[in-house]
Amino acid sequence: NTTLAEHLPNEFPLNTKSYLHHFNYKLIGMVTHLGEFTSCGHYTADVYSAKNRTWIHYDDENVGERHESDMRCSKDGYIFVYVYEPLF
């Protein structure tokens, strides 16, 4: 048996053009889980603002900008939201 993690690249791509040549998707959101189990721990969210062309980090009442380079290094992503790039 294999797991999904075995099929993912080491760094999750923000743009999948290099992985999917027929379809172009852009990462616009990511939910991150910090903790040992999904039933407990802490969740944060990062959402791309097309209007401001920046990432916004939501951590409870703390909200602020996040650099794209920080997104590329995240290894704690739990849910990823992509949009078909021609619609973006």
Coordinates of all heavy atoms in Angstrom, one line a residue:
N1 N 0.8 -1.2 0.0 CA 0.0 0.0 0.0 C 0.9 1.3 0.0 O 1.9 1.3 0.7 CB -0.9 0.0 1.2 CG -2.0 -1.0 1.2 OD1 -2.2 -1.6 0.1 ND2 -2.6 -1.2 2.3
T2 N 0.5 2.2 -0.8 CA 1.2 3.5 -0.8 C 0.3 4.6 -0.2 O -1.0 4.4 -0.2 CB 1.6 3.9 -2.2 OG1 0.4 4.1 -3.0 CG2 2.5 2.9 -2.8
T3 N 0.9 5.7 0.3 CA 0.1 6.8 0.8 C 0.2 7.9 -0.2 O 1.0 8.0 -1.1 CB 0.6 7.2 2.1 OG1 2.0 7.8 1.9 CG2 0.7 6.1 3.1
L4 N -0.8 8.9 -0.1 CA -0.8 10.1 -0.9 C 0.5 10.8 -0.8 O 1.0 11.3 -1.8 CB -2.0 10.9 -0.5 CG -2.1 12.2 -1.3 CD1 -2.3 12.0 -2.8 CD2 -3.3 13.1 -0.8
A5 N 1.1 10.9 0.4 CA 2.3 11.7 0.7 C 3.4 11.2 -0.2 O 4.3 11.9 -0.6 CB 2.6 11.6 2.1
E6 N 3.5 9.9 -0.5 CA 4.5 9.3 -1.3 C 4.5 9.8 -2.7 O 5.5 9.8 -3.4 CB 4.5 7.8 -1.3 CG 4.7 7.2 0.1 CD 4.5 5.7 0.1 OE1 4.5 5.1 -1.0 OE2 4.2 5.2 1.2
H7 N 3.4 10.4 -3.2 CA 3.2 10.8 -4.6 C 3.4 12.3 -4.7 O 3.3 12.8 -5.8 CB 1.9 10.4 -5.1 CG 1.7 8.9 -5.1 ND1 2.4 8.1 -6.1 CD2 1.1 8.0 -4.3 CE1 2.1 6.8 -5.8 NE2 1.3 6.8 -4.8
L8 N 3.5 13.0 -3.6 CA 3.6 14.5 -3.6 C 5.0 14.9 -3.7 O 5.9 14.3 -3.1 CB 2.9 15.1 -2.4 CG 1.4 14.9 -2.2 CD1 0.9 15.5 -0.9 CD2 0.7 15.5 -3.4
P9 N 5.3 16.0 -4.3 CA 6.7 16.5 -4.4 C 7.1 17.0 -3.0 O 6.3 17.3 -2.1 CB 6.6 17.7 -5.4 CG 5.2 18.1 -5.4 CD 4.4 16.9 -5.1
N10 N 8.4 17.2 -2.8 CA 8.9 17.6 -1.5 C 8.4 19.0 -1.1 O 8.1 19.3 0.0 CB 10.4 17.7 -1.4 CG 11.0 16.3 -1.4 OD1 10.3 15.3 -1.0 ND2 12.2 16.1 -1.9
E11 N 8.3 19.9 -2.1 CA 7.8 21.2 -1.8 C 6.5 21.3 -2.7 O 6.5 21.1 -3.9 CB 8.7 22.3 -2.3 CG 9.9 22.4 -1.4 CD 10.8 23.6 -1.8 OE1 10.5 24.3 -2.7 OE2 11.9 23.8 -1.1
F12 N 5.4 21.6 -2.1 CA 4.1 21.7 -2.8 C 4.1 22.9 -3.7 O 4.4 24.0 -3.3 CB 2.9 21.7 -1.8 CG 1.7 21.1 -2.4 CD1 1.5 19.7 -2.2 CD2 0.8 21.8 -3.1 CE1 0.4 19.1 -2.7 CE2 -0.3 21.2 -3.7 CZ -0.5 19.8 -3.5
P13 N 3.9 22.7 -5.0 CA 4.0 23.8 -6.0 C 2.9 24.8 -5.9 O 1.7 24.4 -5.6 CB 3.9 23.0 -7.4 CG 3.1 21.8 -7.0 CD 3.4 21.4 -5.6
L14 N 3.2 26.1 -6.0 CA 2.2 27.1 -6.0 C 1.6 27.2 -7.4 O 0.5 27.6 -7.6 CB 2.8 28.5 -5.7 CG 3.3 28.6 -4.3 CD1 3.9 30.0 -4.0 CD2 2.2 28.3 -3.3
N15 N 2.3 26.7 -8.4 CA 1.7 26.7 -9.8 C 2.1 25.3 -10.3 O 3.2 24.9 -10.4 CB 2.4 27.8 -10.6 CG 1.7 28.0 -11.9 OD1 1.4 27.0 -12.6 ND2 1.5 29.2 -12.3
T16 N 1.1 24.6 -10.8 CA 1.3 23.2 -11.2 C 1.7 23.0 -12.7 O 1.6 21.9 -13.2 CB 0.0 22.4 -10.9 OG1 -1.1 23.0 -11.7 CG2 -0.3 22.3 -9.5
K17 N 2.0 24.1 -13.4 CA 2.3 24.0 -14.8 C 3.4 22.9 -15.0 O 3.4 22.2 -16.0 CB 2.8 25.3 -15.3 CG 1.6 26.3 -15.5 CD 2.1 27.6 -16.1 CE 1.0 28.6 -16.1 NZ 1.4 29.9 -16.6
S18 N 4.4 22.8 -14.1 CA 5.5 21.9 -14.4 C 5.0 20.4 -14.1 O 5.7 19.5 -14.5 CB 6.7 22.2 -13.5 OG 6.3 22.1 -12.1
Y19 N 3.9 20.2 -13.5 CA 3.4 18.9 -13.1 C 2.3 18.5 -14.1 O 2.1 17.3 -14.4 CB 2.9 18.8 -11.7 CG 4.1 19.0 -10.7 CD1 4.4 20.2 -10.2 CD2 4.9 17.9 -10.4 CE1 5.4 20.4 -9.4 CE2 5.9 18.1 -9.5 CZ 6.2 19.3 -9.0 OH 7.3 19.5 -8.2
L20 N 1.4 19.4 -14.4 CA 0.3 19.1 -15.3 C 0.3 19.9 -16.5 O -0.1 21.1 -16.5 CB -1.1 19.3 -14.5 CG -1.2 18.6 -13.2 CD1 -2.4 19.1 -12.4 CD2 -1.4 17.1 -13.4
H21 N 0.8 19.4 -17.6 CA 1.0 20.1 -18.8 C -0.3 20.5 -19.5 O -0.3 21.5 -20.3 CB 2.0 19.4 -19.7 CG 3.3 19.1 -19.1 ND1 4.2 20.1 -18.9 CD2 3.9 18.0 -18.6 CE1 5.3 19.7 -18.3 NE2 5.1 18.4 -18.2
H22 N -1.3 19.8 -19.3 CA -2.6 20.0 -20.0 C -3.5 21.0 -19.2 O -4.4 21.6 -19.8 CB -3.3 18.7 -20.3 CG -2.6 17.8 -21.2 ND1 -1.6 17.0 -20.7 CD2 -2.6 17.6 -22.5 CE1 -1.0 16.3 -21.7 NE2 -1.7 16.7 -22.8
F23 N -3.3 21.1 -17.9 CA -4.1 21.9 -17.1 C -3.3 22.8 -16.2 O -2.3 22.4 -15.7 CB -5.0 21.0 -16.1 CG -5.8 20.0 -16.9 CD1 -5.4 18.7 -17.0 CD2 -7.0 20.3 -17.5 CE1 -6.1 17.7 -17.7 CE2 -7.7 19.4 -18.2 CZ -7.3 18.1 -18.3
N24 N -3.7 24.0 -16.1 CA -2.9 25.0 -15.3 C -3.8 25.4 -14.1 O -4.9 26.0 -14.3 CB -2.6 26.2 -16.1 CG -1.6 25.8 -17.3 OD1 -0.7 25.0 -17.1 ND2 -1.8 26.4 -18.4
Y25 N -3.3 25.2 -12.9 CA -4.0 25.6 -11.7 C -3.1 26.4 -10.8 O -1.9 26.2 -10.9 CB -4.4 24.3 -10.9 CG -5.5 23.5 -11.6 CD1 -5.2 22.5 -12.5 CD2 -6.8 23.8 -11.4 CE1 -6.2 21.8 -13.1 CE2 -7.8 23.1 -12.0 CZ -7.5 22.1 -12.9 OH -8.5 21.3 -13.5
K26 N -3.7 27.3 -10.1 CA -3.0 28.2 -9.2 C -3.5 28.0 -7.8 O -4.7 28.0 -7.5 CB -3.1 29.7 -9.6 CG -2.4 30.6 -8.7 CD -2.4 32.0 -9.3 CE -1.7 33.0 -8.3 NZ -0.3 32.7 -8.1
L27 N -2.5 27.8 -6.9 CA -2.9 27.7 -5.5 C -3.4 29.0 -5.0 O -2.7 30.0 -5.1 CB -1.7 27.2 -4.6 CG -1.9 27.0 -3.2 CD1 -2.9 25.8 -2.9 CD2 -0.6 26.8 -2.4
I28 N -4.6 29.0 -4.4 CA -5.2 30.3 -3.8 C -5.5 30.2 -2.4 O -5.9 31.2 -1.8 CB -6.4 30.7 -4.6 CG1 -7.5 29.7 -4.6 CG2 -6.1 31.1 -6.1 CD1 -8.9 30.2 -5.0
G29 N -5.4 29.0 -1.8 CA -5.7 28.8 -0.4 C -5.1 27.6 0.2 O -4.9 26.6 -0.5
M30 N -4.7 27.6 1.5 CA -4.2 26.5 2.1 C -4.5 26.5 3.6 O -4.4 27.5 4.3 CB -2.6 26.4 2.0 CG -2.0 25.2 2.7 SD -0.3 25.0 2.3 CE 0.4 26.4 3.2
V31 N -5.1 25.4 4.1 CA -5.4 25.2 5.5 C -4.2 24.4 6.1 O -3.8 23.4 5.5 CB -6.7 24.5 5.8 CG1 -6.9 24.2 7.3 CG2 -7.9 25.3 5.2
T32 N -3.7 24.9 7.2 CA -2.5 24.2 7.8 C -2.9 23.7 9.2 O -3.7 24.4 9.9 CB -1.4 25.2 8.0 OG1 -1.0 25.7 6.7 CG2 -0.2 24.6 8.6
H33 N -2.5 22.5 9.5 CA -2.8 21.9 10.8 C -1.5 21.7 11.6 O -0.5 21.2 11.0 CB -3.5 20.5 10.6 CG -3.7 19.9 12.0 ND1 -2.9 18.9 12.4 CD2 -4.6 20.1 12.9 CE1 -3.3 18.5 13.6 NE2 -4.3 19.2 13.9
L34 N -1.5 22.2 12.8 CA -0.3 22.1 13.7 C -0.8 21.2 14.8 O -1.6 21.6 15.6 CB 0.2 23.4 14.1 CG 0.5 24.4 13.0 CD1 0.8 25.8 13.5 CD2 1.8 23.9 12.3
G35 N -0.2 20.1 15.0 CA -0.6 19.2 16.0 C -0.4 17.7 15.6 O -0.2 17.4 14.4
E36 N -0.4 16.8 16.6 CA -0.1 15.4 16.3 C -1.3 14.7 15.6 O -1.1 13.9 14.8 CB 0.2 14.7 17.6 CG 0.8 13.3 17.4 CD 1.3 12.7 18.6 OE1 1.5 13.4 19.6 OE2 1.5 11.5 18.6
F37 N -2.5 15.1 16.0 CA -3.7 14.5 15.4 C -4.7 15.5 14.9 O -4.7 16.6 15.4 CB -4.5 13.7 16.5 CG -3.6 12.6 17.2 CD1 -3.1 12.8 18.4 CD2 -3.3 11.4 16.5 CE1 -2.3 11.9 19.1 CE2 -2.5 10.5 17.1 CZ -2.0 10.7 18.4
T38 N -5.5 15.1 13.9 CA -6.4 16.1 13.3 C -7.5 16.4 14.2 O -8.2 17.5 14.1 CB -7.0 15.5 11.9 OG1 -7.6 14.3 12.2 CG2 -5.9 15.4 10.9
S39 N -7.8 15.6 15.2 CA -8.9 15.9 16.1 C -8.5 16.9 17.2 O -9.3 17.3 18.0 CB -9.3 14.6 16.8 OG -8.2 14.0 17.5
C40 N -7.2 17.2 17.3 CA -6.8 18.2 18.2 C -5.6 19.0 17.6 O -5.0 18.5 16.6 CB -6.4 17.6 19.5 SG -5.0 16.5 19.4
G41 N -5.3 20.1 18.1 CA -4.2 20.9 17.5 C -4.7 22.3 17.1 O -5.7 22.7 17.7
H42 N -4.1 22.9 16.2 CA -4.4 24.3 15.8 C -4.4 24.4 14.3 O -3.5 23.8 13.6 CB -3.3 25.2 16.4 CG -3.6 26.6 16.2 ND1 -4.7 27.3 16.8 CD2 -3.1 27.6 15.4 CE1 -4.7 28.5 16.4 NE2 -3.7 28.7 15.5
Y43 N -5.4 25.0 13.8 CA -5.6 25.2 12.3 C -5.4 26.7 12.0 O -5.8 27.6 12.7 CB -7.0 24.8 11.9 CG -7.2 23.3 11.9 CD1 -7.7 22.7 13.1 CD2 -6.9 22.5 10.8 CE1 -7.9 21.3 13.1 CE2 -7.1 21.2 10.8 CZ -7.6 20.6 12.0 OH -7.8 19.2 12.0
T44 N -4.7 27.0 10.9 CA -4.5 28.3 10.4 C -4.9 28.3 8.9 O -5.0 27.2 8.3 CB -3.1 28.9 10.5 OG1 -2.2 28.1 9.8 CG2 -2.7 28.9 12.0
A45 N -5.1 29.4 8.3 CA -5.4 29.5 6.8 C -4.6 30.5 6.2 O -4.3 31.6 6.8 CB -6.9 29.7 6.6
D46 N -4.2 30.3 4.9 CA -3.5 31.3 4.1 C -4.3 31.4 2.8 O -4.7 30.4 2.2 CB -2.1 30.8 3.7 CG -1.2 30.8 5.0 OD1 -0.8 31.9 5.4 OD2 -1.0 29.7 5.5
V47 N -4.7 32.6 2.4 CA -5.5 32.9 1.3 C -4.8 33.9 0.4 O -4.4 34.9 0.9 CB -6.9 33.4 1.7 CG1 -7.8 33.7 0.5 CG2 -7.6 32.3 2.6
Y48 N -4.8 33.6 -0.9 CA -4.2 34.6 -1.9 C -5.2 35.7 -2.2 O -6.3 35.4 -2.6 CB -3.7 33.9 -3.1 CG -3.0 34.8 -4.1 CD1 -1.7 35.2 -3.8 CD2 -3.7 35.3 -5.2 CE1 -1.1 36.1 -4.7 CE2 -3.0 36.1 -6.1 CZ -1.7 36.5 -5.8 OH -1.1 37.4 -6.7
S49 N -4.8 36.9 -2.0 CA -5.6 38.1 -2.4 C -5.3 38.5 -3.8 O -4.2 39.1 -4.0 CB -5.4 39.2 -1.4 OG -6.1 40.4 -1.9
A50 N -6.1 38.2 -4.8 CA -5.8 38.6 -6.2 C -5.8 40.2 -6.3 O -5.1 40.7 -7.0 CB -6.9 38.0 -7.1
K51 N -6.7 40.8 -5.5 CA -6.8 42.3 -5.5 C -5.4 42.9 -5.1 O -5.0 43.8 -5.7 CB -7.9 42.7 -4.6 CG -8.0 44.2 -4.5 CD -9.2 44.6 -3.6 CE -9.3 46.1 -3.5 NZ -10.4 46.5 -2.6
N52 N -4.8 42.4 -4.0 CA -3.6 43.0 -3.5 C -2.3 42.2 -4.0 O -1.2 42.6 -3.6 CB -3.6 43.0 -2.0 CG -4.7 43.8 -1.4 OD1 -5.1 44.8 -2.0 ND2 -5.3 43.4 -0.3
R53 N -2.6 41.1 -4.6 CA -1.5 40.2 -5.1 C -0.5 39.8 -4.0 O 0.7 39.9 -4.1 CB -0.7 40.9 -6.3 CG -1.6 41.1 -7.5 CD -0.9 41.7 -8.6 NE -1.8 41.8 -9.7 CZ -1.5 41.8 -11.0 NH1 -0.2 41.6 -11.3 NH2 -2.4 42.0 -11.9
T54 N -1.1 39.4 -2.9 CA -0.3 38.9 -1.8 C -1.1 37.8 -1.0 O -2.3 37.6 -1.2 CB 0.0 40.1 -0.8 OG1 0.9 39.7 0.2 CG2 -1.3 40.7 -0.2
W55 N -0.4 37.1 -0.2 CA -0.9 36.1 0.7 C -1.3 36.7 2.0 O -0.6 37.5 2.6 CB 0.1 35.0 0.9 CG 0.2 34.1 -0.3 CD1 1.0 34.2 -1.4 CD2 -0.6 33.0 -0.6 NE1 0.8 33.2 -2.3 CE2 -0.2 32.4 -1.9 CE3 -1.7 32.3 0.0 CZ2 -0.8 31.3 -2.5 CZ3 -2.3 31.2 -0.6 CH2 -1.8 30.7 -1.8
I56 N -2.5 36.3 2.5 CA -3.0 36.7 3.8 C -3.0 35.5 4.7 O -3.5 34.5 4.4 CB -4.4 37.4 3.8 CG1 -4.4 38.5 2.7 CG2 -4.8 37.9 5.1 CD1 -3.5 39.6 2.9
H57 N -2.4 35.7 5.9 CA -2.3 34.6 6.9 C -3.3 34.8 8.0 O -3.4 35.9 8.6 CB -0.9 34.5 7.5 CG -0.8 33.4 8.5 ND1 -0.8 32.0 8.1 CD2 -0.6 33.4 9.8 CE1 -0.6 31.3 9.2 NE2 -0.5 32.1 10.2
Y58 N -4.2 33.8 8.3 CA -5.2 33.9 9.3 C -4.9 32.9 10.4 O -4.9 31.7 10.2 CB -6.6 33.6 8.7 CG -7.1 34.6 7.7 CD1 -6.7 34.4 6.3 CD2 -7.8 35.7 8.0 CE1 -7.1 35.3 5.4 CE2 -8.2 36.6 7.0 CZ -7.9 36.4 5.7 OH -8.3 37.3 4.8
D59 N -4.7 33.5 11.6 CA -4.4 32.6 12.8 C -5.2 33.2 13.9 O -4.8 34.1 14.6 CB -2.9 32.7 13.1 CG -2.5 31.8 14.2 OD1 -3.4 31.2 14.9 OD2 -1.3 31.6 14.4
D60 N -6.4 32.6 14.1 CA -7.4 33.2 15.1 C -7.6 34.7 14.8 O -7.9 35.0 13.7 CB -6.9 32.8 16.5 CG -6.9 31.4 16.8 OD1 -7.7 30.6 16.1 OD2 -6.2 30.9 17.6
E61 N -7.3 35.5 15.8 CA -7.5 36.9 15.7 C -6.3 37.6 15.0 O -6.4 38.8 14.7 CB -7.9 37.6 17.0 CG -6.7 37.6 18.0 CD -6.6 36.4 18.8 OE1 -7.4 35.5 18.7 OE2 -5.6 36.3 19.6
N62 N -5.3 36.9 14.8 CA -4.1 37.5 14.2 C -4.2 37.3 12.6 O -4.2 36.2 12.1 CB -2.8 36.8 14.7 CG -2.6 37.0 16.2 OD1 -2.8 38.1 16.7 ND2 -2.3 35.9 16.9
V63 N -4.2 38.4 11.9 CA -4.2 38.4 10.5 C -3.1 39.3 9.9 O -2.9 40.4 10.4 CB -5.6 39.0 10.0 CG1 -5.7 39.0 8.5 CG2 -6.7 38.1 10.6
G64 N -2.4 38.8 8.9 CA -1.3 39.6 8.4 C -0.9 39.0 7.1 O -1.3 37.9 6.7
E65 N 0.0 39.8 6.4 CA 0.5 39.3 5.1 C 1.6 38.2 5.3 O 2.2 38.1 6.4 CB 1.2 40.5 4.3 CG 0.2 41.4 3.8 CD 0.8 42.5 2.9 OE1 1.9 42.3 2.4 OE2 0.1 43.4 2.6
R66 N 1.7 37.4 4.3 CA 2.7 36.3 4.4 C 3.4 36.3 3.0 O 2.8 36.5 2.0 CB 2.0 34.9 4.6 CG 2.9 33.8 4.8 CD 2.2 32.6 5.3 NE 3.2 31.6 5.7 CZ 2.9 30.4 6.0 NH1 1.6 30.0 6.2 NH2 3.8 29.5 6.3
H67 N 4.7 36.0 3.1 CA 5.5 36.0 1.8 C 5.3 34.7 1.1 O 5.1 33.7 1.7 CB 7.0 36.2 2.1 CG 7.3 37.5 2.7 ND1 7.4 38.7 2.0 CD2 7.5 37.9 4.0 CE1 7.6 39.7 2.8 NE2 7.7 39.2 4.0
E68 N 5.3 34.8 -0.2 CA 5.1 33.6 -1.1 C 6.2 32.6 -0.8 O 5.9 31.4 -0.8 CB 5.1 34.0 -2.6 CG 4.8 32.8 -3.4 CD 4.6 33.2 -4.9 OE1 3.7 34.1 -5.2 OE2 5.3 32.6 -5.7
S69 N 7.4 33.0 -0.5 CA 8.4 32.0 -0.2 C 8.1 31.2 1.1 O 8.5 30.0 1.1 CB 9.8 32.8 0.0 OG 9.7 33.7 1.1
D70 N 7.4 31.8 2.0 CA 7.0 31.0 3.2 C 6.0 29.9 2.8 O 6.0 28.9 3.4 CB 6.3 31.9 4.2 CG 7.3 32.9 4.8 OD1 8.5 32.7 4.8 OD2 6.9 34.0 5.3
M71 N 5.1 30.2 1.8 CA 4.2 29.2 1.4 C 4.9 28.0 0.7 O 4.5 26.9 0.9 CB 3.2 29.9 0.4 CG 2.4 31.0 0.9 SD 1.2 30.4 2.2 CE 0.2 29.3 1.2
R72 N 5.9 28.3 0.0 CA 6.6 27.2 -0.7 C 7.3 26.3 0.3 O 7.5 25.1 0.0 CB 7.7 27.8 -1.7 CG 7.1 28.5 -2.8 CD 8.2 28.9 -3.8 NE 7.7 29.7 -4.9 CZ 7.1 29.2 -6.0 NH1 7.0 27.9 -6.1 NH2 6.7 30.0 -6.9
C73 N 7.7 26.8 1.4 CA 8.4 25.9 2.4 C 7.5 25.2 3.4 O 8.0 24.4 4.2 CB 9.4 26.9 3.2 SG 10.6 27.6 2.2
S74 N 6.2 25.5 3.4 CA 5.3 24.9 4.3 C 5.2 23.4 4.1 O 5.0 22.9 3.0 CB 3.9 25.5 4.2 OG 3.1 24.9 5.1
K75 N 5.4 22.6 5.2 CA 5.3 21.2 5.1 C 4.0 20.7 5.9 O 3.8 19.5 6.1 CB 6.5 20.5 5.6 CG 7.7 20.8 4.8 CD 8.9 20.0 5.3 CE 10.2 20.1 4.6 NZ 10.4 20.8 3.4
D76 N 3.3 21.6 6.4 CA 2.1 21.3 7.3 C 0.8 21.5 6.6 O -0.2 21.5 7.3 CB 2.2 22.2 8.6 CG 3.4 21.9 9.4 OD1 3.7 20.7 9.6 OD2 4.1 22.8 9.8
G77 N 0.8 21.7 5.3 CA -0.5 21.9 4.6 C -1.4 20.7 4.8 O -1.0 19.6 4.7
Y78 N -2.7 21.0 5.0 CA -3.7 20.0 5.2 C -4.7 20.0 4.1 O -5.1 18.9 3.7 CB -4.3 20.3 6.6 CG -5.3 19.2 7.1 CD1 -4.8 17.9 7.4 CD2 -6.6 19.5 7.2 CE1 -5.7 17.0 7.8 CE2 -7.5 18.6 7.7 CZ -7.1 17.3 8.0 OH -8.0 16.4 8.4
I79 N -5.2 21.1 3.7 CA -6.2 21.3 2.6 C -5.6 22.3 1.7 O -5.2 23.4 2.1 CB -7.5 21.7 3.2 CG1 -8.1 20.6 4.1 CG2 -8.5 21.9 2.0 CD1 -9.4 21.1 4.8
F80 N -5.6 22.0 0.4 CA -5.2 23.0 -0.6 C -6.3 23.3 -1.6 O -7.1 22.5 -2.0 CB -4.0 22.3 -1.4 CG -2.9 21.9 -0.6 CD1 -2.8 20.7 0.0 CD2 -1.8 22.8 -0.3 CE1 -1.7 20.3 0.8 CE2 -0.8 22.4 0.5 CZ -0.7 21.2 1.0
V81 N -6.4 24.6 -1.9 CA -7.5 25.1 -2.7 C -6.8 25.7 -4.0 O -6.0 26.6 -3.9 CB -8.4 26.2 -2.1 CG1 -9.4 26.7 -3.0 CG2 -8.9 25.6 -0.8
Y82 N -7.2 25.1 -5.1 CA -6.7 25.5 -6.4 C -7.8 26.1 -7.3 O -9.0 25.7 -7.1 CB -6.0 24.4 -7.2 CG -4.7 24.0 -6.7 CD1 -4.5 23.1 -5.6 CD2 -3.5 24.5 -7.3 CE1 -3.2 22.7 -5.2 CE2 -2.3 24.2 -6.8 CZ -2.1 23.3 -5.8 OH -0.9 22.9 -5.3
V83 N -7.5 27.0 -8.2 CA -8.4 27.5 -9.2 C -7.8 27.3 -10.5 O -6.6 27.4 -10.7 CB -8.8 29.0 -8.9 CG1 -7.6 29.9 -9.1 CG2 -9.9 29.4 -9.7
Y84 N -8.7 27.0 -11.5 CA -8.3 26.8 -12.9 C -7.8 28.2 -13.3 O -8.5 29.1 -13.3 CB -9.4 26.3 -13.7 CG -9.1 26.0 -15.1 CD1 -8.1 25.1 -15.4 CD2 -9.9 26.5 -16.1 CE1 -7.8 24.8 -16.8 CE2 -9.6 26.2 -17.5 CZ -8.6 25.4 -17.8 OH -8.3 25.1 -19.1
E85 N -6.5 28.2 -13.7 CA -5.8 29.5 -14.0 C -6.5 30.4 -15.0 O -6.6 31.6 -14.8 CB -4.4 29.3 -14.3 CG -3.6 30.6 -14.1 CD -2.1 30.3 -14.0 OE1 -1.6 29.3 -14.5 OE2 -1.4 31.1 -13.4
P86 N -7.1 29.9 -16.1 CA -7.8 30.8 -17.0 C -9.0 31.5 -16.4 O -9.4 32.6 -16.8 CB -8.3 29.9 -18.1 CG -7.3 28.8 -18.1 CD -7.0 28.5 -16.7
L87 N -9.5 31.0 -15.3 CA -10.6 31.6 -14.6 C -10.2 32.6 -13.5 O -10.9 33.4 -13.0 CB -11.5 30.6 -13.8 CG -12.2 29.6 -14.7 CD1 -12.9 28.5 -13.8 CD2 -13.1 30.2 -15.7
F88 N -8.9 32.6 -13.2 CA -8.3 33.5 -12.2 C -8.0 34.8 -12.7 O -7.8 35.7 -13.0 CB -7.0 32.8 -11.6 CG -6.5 33.5 -10.4 CD1 -7.2 33.4 -9.2 CD2 -5.3 34.2 -10.5 CE1 -6.7 34.0 -8.1 CE2 -4.8 34.8 -9.3 CZ -5.5 34.7 -8.1

